[in-house]
Amino acid sequence: MPMYKSPNVHGHGMNCGEHALQNGEVDPSLKALEERQDEVLRRLYELKATVDGFAKTVTTPDADLDASTPSPGPAESVFKGTADLDSLLGKDLGALRDIVINANPARPPLSLLVLHALLCQRYQVLSSVHVHSSVSAVPPPLLSCLGPRHIDSYARQRFQLGFTLIWKDVSELQMKFSTQSMCPIEGEANVARFLFRLLGAEPQDPAAATQMDCWIDKAVFQLSEGGSKDRAAVLRSLNAALGRSPWLLGQEFSLADIVCACFVLRAGQTTSAPVNVQRWLKSCQNLGHFDCVYPFLQ
Amino acid sequence: VCFDFAKDRYGICPMVQSQQKLDRALVRVQDLTPEKAEQQIWVRARIHTSRAKGKQCFLVLRHQQFTVQALLAVGERASKQMVKFAANLTKESIIDVEAVVKKVEQKIESCSQQDVELHVERIFVISQSEARLPLQLEDAVRPEGEGDEEGRATVNQDTRLDNRVIDLRTTTSQAIFRLQSGVCQLFRDTLINKGFVEIQTPKIISAASEGGANVFTVSYFKTSAYLAQSPQLYKQMCICADFDKVFCVGPVFRAEDSNTHRHLTEFVGLDIEMAFNYHYHEVIDSITDTMVQIFKGLRDRFQTEIQTVNKQYPSEPFKFLEPTLRLEYKEAVAMLKAAGVEMGDEEDLSTPNEKLLGRLVKEKYDTDFYVLDKYPLAVRPFYTMPDPNNPKYSNSYDMFMRGEEILSGAQRIHDAQLLTERAMHHSIDLEKIKAYIDSFRYGAPPHAGGGIGLERVTMLYLGLHNVRQTSMFPRDPKRLTP
């Protein structure tokens, strides 16, 4: 039995004011000051949220747009940020800055097709598709997956960027850019991250960027390479996240949506996917950038 | 002397003078497979090697790219004298052998037919070879490295070429020239399917077509004539004569005193010329597609030959893209500069730079074949059409295999006036090319083309290093025979 009662400084859920009152030691005016301070802070947060909301409607027009119903006409690019190609890819020295992607025709990289479509809206891109001699034949849809050949394709230097897709017998998808100064990048997700950077739309907030990476890793390791239990778990996570916001990172469409949607579509059986996932897939489709992907789904 | 109970089963045949028509099927060595096990068959082949071991004689019989082991043992069917006869036969002799095909337990690694051997019943010589051979075929197929290491000989190129008939018998040579025949056939078939017409052009001509001093002169009755450096002028005249799309296969003569790994004074040119509608890229596309069809045909139908050649001359398989990769000259210069080369924007590519460029392209695109478009005008022949937007460049292109040039082509000037100007600019005697310029005076379609050398393309496809290996009877500044 304690000799005397001492104030409980570790009390949970009890504010200092109550203790002070119990102990009869606190000035009521201090309490009032604190309450006013809390009120001001609360109103500041509300104001900030409202301003943030307005800001988004200016920078990403479709953020609060309900994309669950089809929009009329072709979609504009969702990404309006700017990227400095010279610093990302090296100065233009007269050679076409040609990004070469070697992919296995048995596993077409759907997310890269979506990113290609987005890049074409932003830049003058010279797109070409080749079949490597290590592959004997490739179904026609894979030859036209980057769209019709650009009329000006014989004048290579008029383009800001080259996108050369080579169907090849490779075990892992591979991207080559500047063989003198860059190692090849391997894996669809990593190449997707590289291409996304060219759109200037990487989330600046480290928390959001990390979350984006988490979703991408989930898609690669669990949806694509995992078993049916893993896939079911990912679909549940997606469903939960998409119950809270239209896109995976919240109000903004991002690479996480592109990669996860492509991997979900490729895994198939989308009609039995959870309801939020289905709504989200429809929204992706309505944006228009996923049109290139549908010919490759069974 | 023992009675030879087998004396009717061996011997030297009298010279085949078509004395009789024997109804006998001869099986090719190539077709000796386990399916024929226990069958008694006749084979005609050369003696590749023959070795006696006690009461047995081991022979390796060879026909073209294929070899098979044969065994003759003293027993019920073969006498000691017969085995001795077989062991003493000279290498390269052509023999007819009747034998039973037997499956073997362990693969015979040293032969092409690894799963069977022949048990000889009868053996007759059709054509005997002299004992001393100017070169040993075993040595001639030995890979370079092996010879130095284990003290065994290889055969140097001059010896091979001096005794070409024997050198051509090697499995490697047989494979090379079969593949070369394939190149020619694929070239023809692809172009015929594209609607091209094959033409023949004269080789004795009155004026040097390309200009320069690299022509052979022949005496022509009371005057002189030249051997054609290329079918260029005649291809173009055919286009002006409305043949639209033509190709020709024939000898090309270049009196270049170059003793390099890739130059011959006479080689086989495969040339193409085509009228186009609006842009010379229509022609580039046609040429590159033809090349791709050739590569595919070789890849799909000549793997046996490719593997045979690789045994002696290992190399990376030939890789290509479809459609063919096309880069622009400016890009090539930028790529070379980025790799540390110092060169002017309108400078021609030196051979080392071409090789380096080939390596850079290979690293990035993993292709051994590509096109370089829009060369500087200054480094191209006078009949090259200048670029419409930039007078310093031209509508001309080169194609490369494994970093070496195989084709030089361009849109040709089809306007007599411009052609005359360009010829004068190059200080060419207009009198000498009057007939050529005249062809364009009566309406000429826009056209372009190019030509490849059969020997060089074969050499580069197989990854070989000297064009003499792919020329049956090569001609160079130092060699006029065989």
Side-chain angles (χ1 to χ4, degrees):
Chain A
M1 185 88 173
M3 279 168 60
Y4 53 88
K5 201 166 174 174
S6 51
N8 182 358
V9 299
H10 298 295
H12 295 289
M14 295 170 93
N15 62 30
C16 287
E18 284 181 20
H19 281 295
L21 276 173
Q22 279 177 359
N23 294 350
E25 283 171 12
V26 174
D27 190 339
S29 59
L30 180 60
K31 181 173 174 248
L33 190 61
E34 283 173 4
E35 277 172 25
R36 277 212 309 282
Q37 185 183 41
D38 286 341
E39 178 64 33
V40 167
L41 283 173
R42 191 180 55 77
R43 277 165 52 203
L44 270 174
Y45 284 134
E46 265 175 48
L47 209 56
K48 180 177 185 296
T50 312
V51 170
D52 277 347
F54 280 128
K56 283 196 183 81
T57 61
V58 173
T59 57
T60 55
D62 61 342
D64 295 306
L65 191 69
D66 179 8
S68 52
T69 51
S71 58
E76 285 187 328
S77 175
V78 295
F79 302 119
K80 294 264 193 270
T82 50
D84 181 3
L85 280 187
D86 279 354
S87 65
L88 287 166
L89 297 177
K91 263 187 83 65
D92 182 352
L93 290 173
L96 176 69
R97 286 179 294 200
D98 197 3
I99 295 172
V100 175
I101 294 175
N102 296 314
N104 195 311
R107 293 184 298 279
L110 304 179
S111 63
L112 302 188
L113 299 181
V114 175
L115 287 163
H116 167 260
L118 289 165
L119 283 168
C120 286
Q121 288 188 335
R122 170 66 59 78
Y123 302 109
Q124 292 265 44
V125 180
L126 175 58
S127 319
S128 10
V129 181
H130 297 268
V131 177
H132 190 264
S133 48
S134 57
V135 171
S136 46
V138 144
L142 288 183
L143 296 174
S144 49
C145 62
L146 294 185
R149 207 167 153 185
H150 201 288
I151 290 186
D152 264 348
S153 67
Y154 57 83
R156 285 170 69 92
Q157 15 156 209
R158 295 190 198 168
F159 295 86
Q160 293 168 281
L161 203 56
F163 192 103
T164 299
L165 178 57
I166 300 178
W167 296 115
K168 185 174 171 183
D169 186 10
V170 280
S171 51
E172 179 89 62
L173 184 137
Q174 185 194 59
M175 186 202 103
K176 287 192 181 181
F177 179 63
S178 164
T179 48
Q180 302 291 299
S181 55
M182 248 176 84
C183 312
I185 296 182
E186 293 199 346
E188 184 180 339
N190 292 329
V191 176
R193 287 172 169 118
F194 177 86
L195 294 176
F196 193 63
R197 234 170 272 151
L198 299 179
L199 290 166
E202 273 193 301
Q204 296 305 313
D205 169 28
T210 312
Q211 205 180 5
M212 188 177 85
D213 270 333
C214 278
W215 280 116
I216 294 174
D217 284 345
K218 264 206 180 69
V220 172
F221 295 115
Q222 293 179 272
L223 254 183
S224 177
E225 295 173 20
S228 50
K229 269 201 188 145
D230 288 314
R231 279 202 293 279
V234 174
L235 287 172
R236 281 196 298 274
S237 310
L238 285 170
N239 199 47
L242 294 166
R244 295 193 287 270
S245 55
W247 307 108
L248 287 174
L249 290 194
Q251 301 304 318
E252 291 180 36
F253 178 74
S254 73
L255 183 63
D257 300 290
I258 296 175
V259 174
C260 289
C262 283
F263 277 61
V264 167
L265 288 169
R266 184 159 54 202
Q269 299 162 330
T270 48
T271 44
S272 54
V275 65
N276 292 331
V277 172
Q278 289 206 38
R279 187 210 74 223
W280 165 73
L281 286 177
K282 200 86 181 56
S283 305
C284 288
Q285 189 179 1
N286 291 340
L287 284 177
H289 306 296
F290 284 72
D291 289 344
C292 50
V293 158
Y294 288 91
F296 302 105
L297 307 174
Q298 270 93 2
Chain B
V1 175
C2 285
F3 169 68
D4 185 356
F5 63 89
K7 68 173 158 57
D8 291 334
R9 289 205 282 279
Y10 68 95
I12 298 181
C13 278
M15 176 178 74
V16 174
Q17 222 174 332
S18 305
Q19 299 93 325
Q20 53 176 343
K21 292 185 183 178
L22 261 184
D23 187 14
R24 179 191 286 168
L26 296 176
V27 177
R28 293 180 313 164
V29 172
Q30 186 175 7
D31 297 329
L32 295 172
T33 57
E35 278 91 46
K36 289 195 157 59
E38 302 310 315
Q39 286 181 32
Q40 191 158 344
I41 45 96
W42 280 91
V43 174
R44 175 170 295 177
R46 286 193 191 268
I47 296 189
H48 188 63
T49 57
S50 112
R51 190 168 46 104
K53 204 171 168 190
K55 290 193 171 160
Q56 295 180 323
C57 174
F58 289 93
L59 299 159
V60 173
L61 303 182
R62 186 189 83 242
H63 181 241
Q64 296 178 344
Q65 294 174 65
F66 307 98
T67 48
V68 70
Q69 183 163 282
L71 175 57
L72 184 59
V74 175
E76 277 179 12
R77 308 286 293 158
S79 61
K80 260 200 318 195
Q81 292 94 324
M82 183 176 171
V83 175
K84 187 171 175 205
F85 170 78
N88 285 337
L89 289 174
T90 49
K91 284 194 202 174
E92 293 306 296
S93 296
I94 300 178
I95 56 172
D96 276 358
V97 157
E98 188 186 31
V100 177
V101 181
K102 292 282 188 192
K103 269 206 267 207
V104 288
E105 294 294 313
Q106 262 189 322
K107 275 189 185 281
I108 302 172
E109 301 281 321
S110 53
C111 291
S112 70
Q113 311 310 101
Q114 301 192 332
D115 302 313
V116 296
E117 69 178 1
L118 297 178
H119 288 196
V120 176
E121 304 259 317
R122 289 196 264 182
I123 178 164
F124 293 100
V125 177
I126 300 297
S127 175
Q128 207 168 25
S129 166
E130 280 179 30
R132 277 197 59 128
L133 292 170
L135 59 95
Q136 296 299 319
L137 268 84
E138 280 174 298
D139 296 340
V141 291
R142 189 163 290 127
E144 284 292 311
E146 264 182 49
D148 302 327
E149 276 165 29
E150 298 171 32
R152 278 182 264 168
T154 51
V155 183
N156 78 36
Q157 188 159 268
D158 275 322
T159 312
R160 286 176 194 278
L161 295 178
D162 288 336
N163 300 283
R164 197 50 158 167
V165 168
I166 304 200
D167 185 51
L168 286 173
R169 290 182 196 171
T170 59
T171 49
T172 310
S173 295
Q174 289 287 316
I176 291 175
F177 292 103
R178 294 205 117 56
L179 188 128
Q180 187 167 78
S181 167
V183 173
C184 225
Q185 186 198 358
L186 287 159
F187 181 79
R188 279 207 163 91
D189 288 349
T190 309
L191 290 173
I192 301 260
N193 284 339
K194 286 184 191 291
F196 280 71
V197 174
E198 183 170 3
I199 60 170
Q200 312 296 339
T201 63
K203 307 304 166 203
I204 311 176
I205 58 178
S206 59
S209 39
E210 306 271 326
N214 301 340
V215 265
F216 288 112
T217 314
V218 291
S219 66
Y220 198 78
F221 303 107
K222 297 212 172 77
T223 173
S224 301
Y226 306 99
L227 293 182
Q229 293 165 300
S230 83
Q232 183 69 29
L233 272 38
Y234 296 98
K235 286 193 294 181
Q236 290 186 258
M237 283 155 76
C238 277
I239 300 294
C240 296
D242 284 352
F243 283 93
D244 268 6
K245 302 179 183 180
V246 298
F247 73 92
C248 55
V249 177
V252 170
F253 303 96
R254 301 256 167 104
E256 240 179 85
D257 198 359
S258 297
N259 291 298
T260 73
H261 72 282
R262 60 193 201 152
H263 283 102
L264 295 170
T265 46
E266 178 186 346
F267 62 89
V268 177
L270 305 175
D271 277 87
I272 300 176
E273 201 72 25
M274 190 178 133
F276 60 82
N277 298 334
Y278 295 104
H279 201 286
Y280 73 98
H281 280 190
E282 297 164 36
V283 180
I284 294 190
D285 287 347
S286 215
I287 298 180
T288 53
D289 185 60
T290 302
M291 295 307 298
V292 164
Q293 297 312 317
I294 293 176
F295 300 145
K296 279 177 158 175
L298 295 177
R299 175 193 69 188
D300 297 339
R301 288 156 36 190
F302 287 84
Q303 272 306 315
T304 313
E305 283 71 19
I306 296 172
Q307 298 309 321
T308 307
V309 176
N310 279 343
K311 269 202 217 113
Q312 183 172 0
Y313 300 107
S315 80
E316 292 285 315
F318 189 82
K319 299 190 193 164
F320 54 93
L321 298 177
E322 184 180 10
T324 303
L325 179 67
R326 182 167 68 229
L327 304 177
E328 281 179 13
Y329 196 82
K330 287 185 185 158
E331 277 185 85
V333 173
M335 282 168 83
L336 286 169
K337 283 181 173 169
V341 169
E342 285 181 19
M343 64 176 286
D345 286 336
E346 289 157 55
E347 213 180 292
D348 202 358
L349 294 176
S350 65
T351 309
N353 283 344
E354 284 176 352
K355 285 235 164 79
L356 174 58
L357 184 61
R359 279 202 297 277
L360 295 172
V361 169
K362 178 76 189 269
E363 237 186 289
K364 185 159 180 181
Y365 297 93
D366 200 21
T367 177
D368 290 310
F369 176 65
Y370 71 96
V371 184
L372 205 55
D373 189 22
K374 296 284 183 189
Y375 268 68
L377 185 61
V379 303
R380 306 302 269 193
F382 74 97
Y383 50 74
T384 309
M385 181 67 87
D387 179 284
N389 302 318
N390 186 339
K392 289 211 156 70
Y393 289 89
S394 61
N395 294 353
S396 67
Y397 42 89
D398 272 8
M399 300 190 190
F400 297 88
M401 280 174 70
R402 296 195 201 250
E404 293 194 35
E405 184 223 303
I406 55 143
L407 179 145
S408 221
Q411 174 180 359
R412 326 293 189 186
I413 297 176
H414 60 285
D415 176 273
Q417 169 93 7
L418 179 57
L419 193 54
T420 307
E421 279 169 35
R422 296 296 304 157
M424 282 175 5
H425 182 267
H426 279 255
S427 312
I428 292 180
D429 184 350
L430 291 175
E431 268 311 299
K432 290 227 163 84
I433 54 169
K434 182 173 185 309
Y436 176 57
I437 297 189
D438 282 348
S439 354
F440 304 107
R441 287 171 57 197
Y442 308 105
H447 59 285
I452 56 175
L454 179 62
E455 295 87 346
R456 200 184 274 191
V457 167
T458 309
M459 169 184 84
L460 292 169
Y461 184 82
L462 290 169
L464 299 171
H465 298 290
N466 195 304
V467 75
R468 291 159 188 74
Q469 294 172 285
T470 50
S471 173
M472 253 189 195
F473 302 104
R475 292 285 172 268
D476 66 32
K478 299 200 166 68
R479 182 171 286 278
L480 262 179
T481 142

